[in-house]
Amino acid sequence: MSGIALILIIAAYFGVLIGVSWFTSRRADNRTWFSADRSSPWPVVAYGMVGASLSGVTFLSIPGWVGTSGFTYLPVVFGYLIGYAVIALVLLPVYYRLNVTSIYEYLGDRFGPVSHRTGAIFFLISRTVGAAFRLYLVALVFQILLDHVGIANVPFWVPVIITIALIFIYTFKGGIKTVVWTDLLQTTFMLLAAVLAFTGIAGALEWSPLQLLSHIRDSDFSSMVITDWNASNHVLKQVVSGAFIALAMTGLDQDMMQKNLTCPDISSARKNIGLFCVILVIVNIGFLSLGGA
């Protein structure tokens, strides 16, 4: 691929995101920005949340983990299901009953303004650090790709600034309504990239994708149960940690729960969580399989 073709592809991608932003932000007001008028289709929210919860870090880290740990990450994913069940049955009813815009309003109602502000501040700190790390990793990969196609000597800060500017452009008007629909697009492209990578590896090995899956299943890479209690990745420890990770990173995270709260009602939000769990398990198995490949 030439450097010009790469730049055109990236420009077209962000052009589509900005087009989606324009379409979703028409007649937008303050309520639309924060809650999408509580009108988001729950299947769209569920599918888009997959890309939001995984991101480019998952694309690189989970496949890389398989080389030394096999599929031992999978029990963590099964633990997620426990955490999401608690979110659907316990937290969502609270958030919908109080009709909150920020989930940390509950802390204010229950414990006072200091707890409310403390929860919000910790969210902002964790989100800033996490977003910065993800942006750093993606920009690093992007710079390596530019070097590979012959566009060398581009300062590292250039793709970072361009990416931040483009993200701001397509989100500042429509807010969470735009994010819900752009997450749908971004999830699709991320999963498409994973499928293309897997089929490309299968082709290089002169196997079909199904043959490659069969080889992975029969290899040591597919091992996922560690029964040594002293091991950090003992299966029970993985399941329990996965449950708490889901609670902390989704149920108590404004960014993720705000998307759930754009669904019209509690029933739709619970359906969203259920579908999201099914897709999440399938996608994580796919990334582990990509690592095995």
Side-chain angles (χ1 to χ4, degrees), residues 194-214:
V195 170
L196 291 175
F198 188 85
T199 55
I201 294 171
L205 294 170
E206 298 182 349
W207 291 330
S208 71
L210 289 178
Q211 287 175 318
L212 180 52
L213 283 174
S214 177

Side-chain angles (χ1 to χ4, degrees), residues 3-281:
I4 294 177
L6 174 64
I7 292 174
L8 289 176
I9 290 173
I10 294 172
Y13 175 70
F14 275 102
V16 171
L17 290 179
I18 292 171
V20 171
S21 172
W22 174 84
F23 183 80
T24 56
S25 63
R26 293 181 303 170
R27 298 183 296 276
D29 55 19
N30 199 45
R31 175 178 167 83
T32 304
W33 206 94
F34 285 105
S35 67
D37 300 318
R38 292 281 171 91
S39 60
S40 298
W42 63 265
V44 173
V45 178
Y47 182 71
M49 279 178 60
V50 173
S53 63
L54 297 181
S55 80
V57 176
T58 304
F59 202 115
L60 298 177
S61 62
I62 290 183
W65 194 356
V66 175
T68 56
S69 303
F71 277 31
T72 57
Y73 177 72
L74 199 54
V76 177
V77 179
F78 293 143
Y80 289 165
L81 303 183
I82 300 173
Y84 289 124
V86 175
I87 292 170
L89 298 174
V90 178
L91 295 181
L92 280 177
V94 172
Y95 298 149
Y96 270 89
R97 186 181 74 250
L98 297 176
N99 194 29
V100 297
T101 300
S102 164
I103 63 173
Y104 306 115
E105 291 176 42
Y106 172 74
L107 294 176
D109 294 339
R110 183 70 183 273
F111 302 109
V114 174
S115 295
H116 183 179
R117 295 191 189 103
T118 302
I121 289 171
F122 271 102
F123 163 73
L124 290 173
I125 293 173
S126 65
R127 181 56 54 178
T128 301
V129 173
F133 175 72
R134 286 188 288 271
L135 179 61
Y136 169 79
L137 185 59
V138 172
L140 187 64
V141 173
F142 183 52
Q143 187 179 43
I144 293 171
L145 188 58
L146 289 175
D147 292 338
H148 182 70
V149 298
I151 307 177
N153 301 319
V154 176
F156 180 75
W157 58 267
V158 171
V160 173
I161 295 298
I162 292 174
T163 303
I164 292 175
L166 290 170
I167 292 172
F168 175 78
I169 289 170
Y170 78 74
T171 57
F172 86 100
K173 184 71 187 322
I176 191 63
K177 185 174 182 180
T178 296
V179 170
V180 166
W181 288 96
T182 53
D183 278 355
L184 174 76
L185 190 66
Q186 293 175 3
T187 299
T188 299
F189 278 106
M190 183 181 74
L191 299 183
L192 179 61
V195 170
L196 291 175
F198 188 85
T199 55
I201 294 171
L205 294 170
E206 298 182 349
W207 291 330
S208 71
L210 289 178
Q211 287 175 318
L212 180 52
L213 283 174
S214 177
H215 282 283
I216 295 170
R217 182 194 63 201
D218 297 334
S219 71
D220 292 337
F221 289 133
S222 63
S223 174
M224 70 174 188
V225 176
I226 303 298
T227 57
D228 179 7
W229 180 253
N230 293 320
S232 61
N233 56 353
H234 181 277
V235 61
L236 183 59
K237 296 178 183 178
Q238 297 284 77
V239 171
V240 172
S241 64
F244 281 102
I245 288 171
L247 282 170
M249 298 191 68
T250 299
L252 303 178
D253 180 87
Q254 172 65 20
D255 180 48
M256 295 297 292
M257 289 310 298
Q258 190 174 15
K259 296 167 186 175
N260 283 277
L261 296 177
T262 64
C263 295
D265 49 49
I266 181 65
S267 176
S268 298
R270 282 174 168 167
K271 292 176 183 176
N272 158 55
I273 290 291
L275 179 59
F276 168 68
C277 287
V278 173
I279 300 174
L280 188 68
V281 171

